[in-house]
Amino acid sequence: MIAALCEIHGPPESLVLRELPDPAPGPGEVLVAPNRVALNFFDTLIIENKYQLKPALPFSPGGEFCGTVLALGAGVDGFAIGQRVAGYCSYGAARSRLVAPASILTSVPDNLSDDQAAGLFITYGTSMYGLRQRANLQKGETLAVLGASGGVGLAAVEIGAAMGAHVIACASSPEKLAFAQQYGAHEGLDYARDDLKEGLKQRTGGKGVDCVYDAIGGAYSEAALRALAWKGRLLVVGFAAGEIPKIPLNLVLLKGCAILGVYWGEFVKREPQAHLENMAQIFDWTAKGLLSAHVHAELPLHDIAKALTMLKERKAQGKIVLSIPR
């Protein structure tokens, strides 16, 4: 088998390709040949040892995949050799053979492509968890999505629209806003040109937004918090801007609002049944065309550094996936 490995912490260019012995599945495990591996922004952090999850070296990046079952470990039921499956594994997927617990795998419907299925877990799973379990987003509420054209932001735009919210896409260029509006956003706000707080206030008639989905952080977080309506919710998803904001808590008191952390990986561990229900809804919506699972680019495994650089420089609109050699 071939694997992309992080042997020393560093930028995408420090990753190497290595040939390794094929693994074998143990009890409760499945050997999968990934066809597609989806990358995410956190992959750029984990290889530089800047993420909360710190795997031992060496390891492969890549946290979600779609592939074919090659072998079953003892005690595995519900899967068959040759079956298409998809799953989430935090890291370790950027390789041509992968051993995964059967519990993390989901059968892929025939009407979903490998590209779509590979990219439905982290970004869409995170957004569904944030909007459903954390924010309890309701039909007719207003939702502002920061970084709306990126992988996780676009997922929030689509899921918010599917849940019946009025979605305001917030991004750093007219092109990114136009892209988000193609996928369900009702209007847009260019925060590189316009004031985020004032823009959101204007677009809600002075009321403020009911929910903000914030995967950007930095100075945008406080501006978005100041634009919340009474009893609004600020979802803390990530810090793509690089700076972790320090929020004045008096604003939370005065607005009667809530700041809610969205840590999807921990949710999956602690509430597996709720996670499975979320994924069933996501797969159903995607099969019906309500979610696009849009792929910005598909690159071969040997171009993983190029793919991660695109994510690091925030040039991706939607998902980036790797095609894995047989």
Side-chain angles (χ1 to χ4, degrees):
M1 61 168 282
I2 188 168
L5 293 180
C6 176
E7 296 181 336
I8 58 170
H9 293 121
E13 294 76 20
S14 65
L15 297 175
V16 295
L17 294 183
R18 300 289 190 210
E19 289 190 5
L20 301 173
D22 284 0
E29 294 180 333
V30 177
L31 176 63
V32 178
N35 299 320
R36 299 289 186 274
V37 170
L39 299 175
N40 296 273
F41 183 79
F42 77 81
D43 285 308
T44 70
L45 301 176
I46 199 170
I47 63 173
E48 295 192 29
N49 204 30
K50 295 179 179 178
Y51 195 58
Q52 56 259 37
L53 182 65
K54 299 183 184 296
L57 298 171
F59 67 91
S60 295
E64 51 190 341
F65 59 90
C66 177
T68 305
V69 174
L70 294 182
L72 303 173
V76 174
D77 295 316
F79 295 102
I81 293 174
Q83 182 179 358
R84 276 204 314 153
V85 294
Y88 158 74
C89 57
S90 299
Y91 63 91
R95 50 183 58 207
S96 59
R97 297 291 185 270
L98 173 67
V99 169
S103 59
I104 73 166
L105 299 177
T106 300
S107 179
V108 178
D110 291 339
N111 56 350
L112 289 186
S113 69
D114 288 347
D115 285 345
Q116 288 179 310
L120 283 174
F121 283 83
I122 294 174
T123 54
Y124 285 88
T126 296
S127 296
M128 177 69 89
Y129 166 54
L131 296 176
R132 175 185 272 182
Q133 276 85 12
R134 299 300 283 149
N136 191 26
L137 186 69
Q138 298 297 305
K139 183 178 180 179
E141 288 192 311
T142 52
L143 168 67
V145 179
L146 309 190
S149 70
V152 72
L154 189 65
V157 166
E158 292 191 295
I159 290 174
M163 294 176 73
H166 180 84
V167 181
I168 305 171
C170 304
S172 59
S173 73
E175 293 77 18
K176 291 179 178 180
L177 293 178
F179 177 76
Q181 287 177 284
Q182 290 177 26
Y183 290 91
H186 299 94
E187 55 184 316
L189 193 162
D190 182 350
Y191 48 57
R193 184 186 64 182
D194 301 323
D195 183 87
L196 179 61
K197 172 194 167 185
E198 294 303 321
L200 291 176
K201 287 280 192 177
Q202 291 170 6
R203 285 161 177 77
T204 54
K207 171 182 176 289
V209 292
D210 297 301
C211 181
V212 170
Y213 186 96
D214 181 11
I216 302 300
Y220 296 113
S221 296
E222 182 175 334
L225 178 66
R226 290 179 180 274
L228 282 178
W230 173 251
K231 291 187 177 180
R233 290 89 77 202
L234 174 69
L235 296 176
V236 180
V237 183
F239 312 101
E243 179 185 348
I244 297 176
K246 297 175 174 61
I247 298 295
L249 290 181
N250 64 307
L251 296 175
V252 180
L253 183 152
L254 294 172
K255 287 180 171 290
C257 65
I259 299 176
L260 302 165
V262 182
Y263 189 3
W264 179 74
E266 194 66 19
F267 162 70
V268 171
K269 295 177 186 176
R270 292 176 179 266
E271 301 180 50
Q273 185 56 42
H275 161 62
L276 291 176
E277 291 170 2
N278 282 359
M279 292 311 303
Q281 180 69 82
I282 288 168
F283 272 63
D284 180 63
W285 278 345
T286 306
K288 292 177 178 176
L290 295 176
L291 306 180
S292 69
H294 174 76
V295 174
H296 175 85
E298 178 191 312
L299 299 170
L301 179 63
H302 65 256
D303 278 341
I304 187 170
K306 179 180 177 181
L308 288 171
T309 298
M310 292 170 68
L311 288 169
K312 187 174 183 178
E313 295 177 353
R314 295 166 62 186
K315 293 180 178 178
Q317 295 181 334
K319 297 293 292 191
I320 292 182
V321 300
L322 301 173
S323 59
I324 309 300
R326 294 288 184 171

